């Protein structure tokens, strides 16, 4: 939800700037102010692709050049619609190019992708140097709209465009696609497990960033009247990328700071009688330090404010009574009733075999999760449990055997397609974007709009903090519970939970087991639970399958399996000590 108070302040500042800048500042500073706002618009494109999606793109000014070229071409042809319409067309013209440049991002990442995008910037530089922009030969300058023909009026126009884009992005960032970029930035595997198409999300980020950059290029053409290739040189993309990494432009104030910083740097160096090349050096050093720290200054400031507010809210809440710690040896075994039999299994795995060269990680594994049941998958470290989960959820592309979800084969489906079909999973290592609140993370996991009441019910059921609390201040154990809540929020047919009790105390783990036992009847989700905590397994699971060195050594009801001498030997090396 957009913060009305913050946007009210931003709107008041924008109106004040539109009154003061044209009427108070000298002409040169008005022109410089236009440059700063136009740069801020282009910085917003970095905010999408670099700030939110976490993709290293070094060709945003090439997209801006496309927007400028289209606007000047339409101006030369006296096309109908006028400058405002041409701006939108210029932005749209950059979109297919952005998608084409984004295609390599589906296969490569990091520095390798940066090299590819920089290669496009170099190619665009060569083409622009060999071909003049429309209107240059004819000396036909771009005519601004009547209301904004002066520099003071044009400043008001670029501020309006900047604010409209900022509002649009603020709204879009609250959508599932917008929030998915943050999850992709931190973990593509977690995003795929939530049913997010990583390929579609990345291409959408490139498309939107190219559109915004194209708008910025058109605004630059309107400012200058005519442009030349040096206005969009590859060095400009590098400089703005450095500013983006330093400041963090995926919020309006960050984009504005970046635009102002880039626009006034040359003037400051000139006033100080320093060489202009020093600006590039400062940009490069700043980018290196920002990359090493992994967070921009504006992001850090916003995060600190958000965390402080959340901590105050948590401190104001009454303390919940904690369950007393009970030694495992003194707990009473809890054996849940057998899972109700459905018409067909929720999950049916037959003959699952995974090989890594000559090493057989899983050897013809059969496992069934009944509809409405909770089944445990246990075994010592290295038994193949996580490999089983990875294969069933689609993260291993090569395996033998069949995986069926309520009778439908999943064998040829990607992880995101399996998730969308009704299978969700968690990971042993939880990676959640710290910028998100718990409500937002639940919305991503659910892949649908959650009411506040439903979200609060899920969080309370799993013992998580209030939904407004940002993930950044939630402890590791609560994050794992949040991950489970997000998987259940999607109401899948089956949820594969990989060691969800990590980071929990003995009492908290036992309580989680009781909750998981209630999930099928309360939320309609069957569960396959991978866990080492035997008390949790006893509390949650009606049936258990045991793996050891990639083979099933026992399968049946929980009590029978845990009392099996072969299972005791696999865990403890002896059959003399029972598994409590």
């Amino acid at each position: 939800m957009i913060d009305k108070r913050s946007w009210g302040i931003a709107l008041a500042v924008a109106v004040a700037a539109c009154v003061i800048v044209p009427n108070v500042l000298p002409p040169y500073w008005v022109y410089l102010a236009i440059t700063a706002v136009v740069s801020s618009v282009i910085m917003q494109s970095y905010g999408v692709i670099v700030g939110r999606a976490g993709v290293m793109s070094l060709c945003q000014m090439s997209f801006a050049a496309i927007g400028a070229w289209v606007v000047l071409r339409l101006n030369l042809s006296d096309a109908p619609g006028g400058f405002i319409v041409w701006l939108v067309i210029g932005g749209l013209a950059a979109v297919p190019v952005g998608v084409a440049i984004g295609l390599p991002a589906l296969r490569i990442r990091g520095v390798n992708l940066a090299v590819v995008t920089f290669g496009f910037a170099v190619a665009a530089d060569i083409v622009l140097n060999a071909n003049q922009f429309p209107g240059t030969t004819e000396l036909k300058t771009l005519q601004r709209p009547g209301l904004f023909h002066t520099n003071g009026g044009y400043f008001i126009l670029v501020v309006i465009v900047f604010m409209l884009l900022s509002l649009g992005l603020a709204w879009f960032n609250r959508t599932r696609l917008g929030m998915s970029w943050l999850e992709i930035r931190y973990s593509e595997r977690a995003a795929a497990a939530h049913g997010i198409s990583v390929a579609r999300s990345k291409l959408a980020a490139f498309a939107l960033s190219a559109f915004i950059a194209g708008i910025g290029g058109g605004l630059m053409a309107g400012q200058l009247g005519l442009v030349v290739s040096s206005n969009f040189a590859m060095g400009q993309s590098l400089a703005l990328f450095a500013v983006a990494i330093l400041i963090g432009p995926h919020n309006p104030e960050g984009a504005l700071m970046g635009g102002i910083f880039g626009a006034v740097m040359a003037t400051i160096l000139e006033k100080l009688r320093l060489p202009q090349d020093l600006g590039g050096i400062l940009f490069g050093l700043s980018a290196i330090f920002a990359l090493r720290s992994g967070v921009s200054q504006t992001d850090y400031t916003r995060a600190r404010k958000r965390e402080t507010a959340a901590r105050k809210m948590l401190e104001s809440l009454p303390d919940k009574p904690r369950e007393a710690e009970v030694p495992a040896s003194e707990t009473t075994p809890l054996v849940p009733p057998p899972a109700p039999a459905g018409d067909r299994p929720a999950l049916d795995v037959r003959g699952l075999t995974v090989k890594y060269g000559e090493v057989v990680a899983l050897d013809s594994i059969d496992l069934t999760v009944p509809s409405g049941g909770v089944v445990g998958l246990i075994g010592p470290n290295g038994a193949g449990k996580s490999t089983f989960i990875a294969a069933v959820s689609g993260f291993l592309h090569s395996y033998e055997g069949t995986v069926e979800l309520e009778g439908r084969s999943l064998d040829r489906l990607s992880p995101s397609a399996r998730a969308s079909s009704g299978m969700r999973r968690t990971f042993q290592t939880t990676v959640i974007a710290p910028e998100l609140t718990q409500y937002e993370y639940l919305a991503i996991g659910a892949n649908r709009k959650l009411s506040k009441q439903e979200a609060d019910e899920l969080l309370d059921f799993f013992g998580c903090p209030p939904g407004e609390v940002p993930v950044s201040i939630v402890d590791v154990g609560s994050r794992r519970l949040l991950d489970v809540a997000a998987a259940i929020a999607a109401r899948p047919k089956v949820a594969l939970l990989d060691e969800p009790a990590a980071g929990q105390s003995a009492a908290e783990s036992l309580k989680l087991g009781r909750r998981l036992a209630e999930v099928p009847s309360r939320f309609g989700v069957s569960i396959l639970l991978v866990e080492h905590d035997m008390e949790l397994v006893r509390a949650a699971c009606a049936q258990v399958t045991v793996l050891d060195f990639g083979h099933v050594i026992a399968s049946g009801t929980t009590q029978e399996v845990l009392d099996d001498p072969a299972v005791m030997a696999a865990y403890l090396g002896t059959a003399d000590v029972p598994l409590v």
Side-chain angles (χ1 to χ4, degrees):
M1 183 177 179
I2 294 177
D3 188 340
K4 294 181 180 179
R5 181 175 180 273
S6 297
W7 280 101
I9 295 173
L11 182 60
V13 171
V15 171
C18 289
V19 172
I20 295 172
V21 171
N23 298 304
V24 175
L25 296 184
Y28 172 75
W29 286 98
V30 173
Y31 182 85
L32 203 61
I34 295 173
T35 303
V37 180
V38 172
S39 297
S40 300
V41 170
I42 298 176
M43 288 300 296
Q44 288 180 313
S45 76
Y46 282 93
V48 171
I49 194 66
V50 178
R52 294 191 71 83
V55 177
M56 296 179 68
S57 175
L58 304 180
C59 61
Q60 298 304 109
M61 288 303 291
S62 301
F63 299 142
I66 294 172
W69 195 95
V70 170
V71 168
L72 291 172
R73 177 74 257 180
L74 293 172
N75 176 69
L76 184 62
S77 303
D78 293 320
F83 178 68
I84 304 299
V85 175
W86 300 345
L87 268 182
V88 177
I89 296 174
L92 293 174
V95 169
V97 181
V99 172
I101 299 303
L103 289 174
L106 307 184
R107 293 290 183 183
I108 58 178
R109 297 169 182 81
V111 175
N112 292 331
L113 180 59
V115 171
V116 171
T117 57
F118 185 66
F120 172 69
V122 172
D125 221 16
I126 295 172
V127 172
L128 292 175
N129 280 312
N131 300 275
Q132 295 181 335
F133 278 84
T136 305
T137 304
E138 299 82 359
L139 296 179
K140 183 176 181 180
T141 59
L142 182 64
Q143 296 300 312
R144 300 171 180 170
L147 290 175
F148 309 106
H149 70 282
T150 65
N151 276 348
Y154 195 70
F155 173 79
I156 295 173
L157 175 62
V158 296
V159 168
I160 292 173
V161 173
F162 175 82
M163 290 299 295
L164 289 175
L165 288 173
S166 298
L167 282 167
L169 287 174
W171 169 82
F172 193 84
N173 289 339
R174 300 273 68 79
T175 65
R176 175 172 167 80
L177 178 58
M179 288 189 292
S180 75
W181 291 334
L182 282 178
E183 188 162 33
I184 288 172
R185 175 184 176 185
Y186 286 93
S187 174
E188 293 184 9
R189 288 168 59 85
H194 285 148
I196 296 170
S197 171
V198 175
R200 184 164 56 244
S201 293
K202 282 188 174 182
L203 292 179
F206 266 101
L208 184 57
S209 71
F211 173 77
I212 295 172
I215 294 288
L219 290 173
M220 187 182 295
Q223 178 188 9
L224 302 175
L226 288 173
V227 296
V228 293
S229 59
S230 60
N231 295 128
F232 305 97
M234 57 184 177
Q236 297 280 8
S237 289
L238 287 173
L240 289 179
F241 174 78
V243 174
I245 293 296
L246 173 65
I247 295 179
H250 57 280
N251 49 70
E253 60 267 40
L256 189 59
M257 287 174 61
I260 294 172
F261 186 59
V264 304
M265 176 59 71
T267 301
I268 292 174
L269 292 175
E270 181 182 352
K271 296 294 184 183
L272 296 176
R273 297 181 180 180
L274 295 173
Q276 293 293 314
D277 291 342
L278 183 60
I281 296 174
L282 292 175
F283 285 144
L285 291 175
S286 298
I288 291 172
F289 283 119
L291 282 170
R292 289 189 63 184
S293 66
V295 64
S296 68
Q297 185 59 39
T298 53
D299 291 341
Y300 178 77
T301 302
R302 287 165 64 93
R304 292 290 295 174
K305 289 181 178 178
R306 197 177 189 185
E307 290 178 10
T308 300
R311 290 184 191 278
K312 290 181 179 178
M313 180 186 70
L314 286 176
E315 290 172 358
S316 66
L317 295 174
D319 293 334
K320 291 185 177 181
R322 296 178 60 87
E323 294 189 6
E325 294 287 344
V326 181
S329 60
E330 298 179 12
T331 57
T332 303
L334 298 172
V335 181
D343 295 336
R344 54 187 175 185
L347 176 66
D348 192 18
V349 181
R350 296 296 168 192
L352 186 66
T353 301
V354 176
K355 298 179 181 179
Y356 300 105
E358 297 299 322
V359 178
V360 180
L362 294 174
D363 187 10
S364 192
I365 305 300
D366 295 338
L367 188 146
T368 298
V369 178
S371 178
V374 180
V375 174
L377 180 62
I378 66 173
N381 290 329
K385 304 183 298 299
S386 293
T387 300
F388 181 90
I389 295 290
V392 170
S393 57
F395 287 93
L396 289 182
H397 300 294
S398 178
Y399 64 81
E400 299 173 13
T402 62
V403 178
E404 293 185 352
L405 189 67
E406 290 193 343
R408 178 192 175 190
S409 175
L410 302 181
D411 294 323
R412 297 184 179 274
L413 298 183
S414 66
S416 60
R418 296 189 191 206
S420 298
S421 298
M423 175 183 290
R424 292 301 170 94
R425 68 159 295 183
T426 63
F427 295 86
Q428 288 184 5
T429 302
T430 301
V431 181
I432 305 175
E435 296 94 332
L436 296 171
T437 65
Q438 294 186 106
Y439 280 145
E440 291 169 340
Y441 187 66
L442 284 183
I444 292 176
N447 194 16
R448 60 189 175 87
K449 186 175 181 179
L450 283 176
S451 67
K452 185 177 182 299
Q453 179 180 357
E454 184 178 2
D456 286 337
E457 179 188 359
L458 277 163
L459 294 173
D460 183 66
F461 179 77
F462 285 103
C464 300
E468 299 88 350
V469 175
V471 173
S472 57
I473 66 170
V474 175
D475 62 82
V476 174
S478 295
R479 291 191 191 192
R480 296 195 66 80
L481 295 177
L482 175 63
D483 217 13
V484 174
I488 302 303
R491 299 293 196 274
K493 298 177 178 68
V494 63
L496 315 178
L497 307 182
D498 199 350
E499 299 188 17
Q504 309 288 325
S505 68
E508 290 169 339
S509 179
L510 185 60
K511 186 176 180 180
L512 174 60
R514 294 167 180 159
R515 291 171 181 148
L516 293 179
E518 297 178 29
V519 165
S521 60
R522 185 163 182 169
F523 300 104
V525 180
S526 304
I527 291 177
L528 176 63
L529 173 66
V530 173
E531 190 50 70
H532 285 291
D533 188 327
M534 291 301 103
E535 284 302 307
L536 188 155
V537 171
R538 289 182 187 275
C541 303
Q543 301 175 22
V544 172
T545 294
V546 186
L547 293 181
D548 192 22
F549 293 107
H551 296 84
V552 174
I553 61 172
S555 184
T557 63
T558 301
Q559 193 63 43
E560 291 174 349
V561 168
L562 296 186
D563 290 341
D564 190 319
V567 176
M568 297 180 190
Y571 267 95
L572 304 173
T574 175
D576 298 332
V577 183
L579 291 173
V580 294

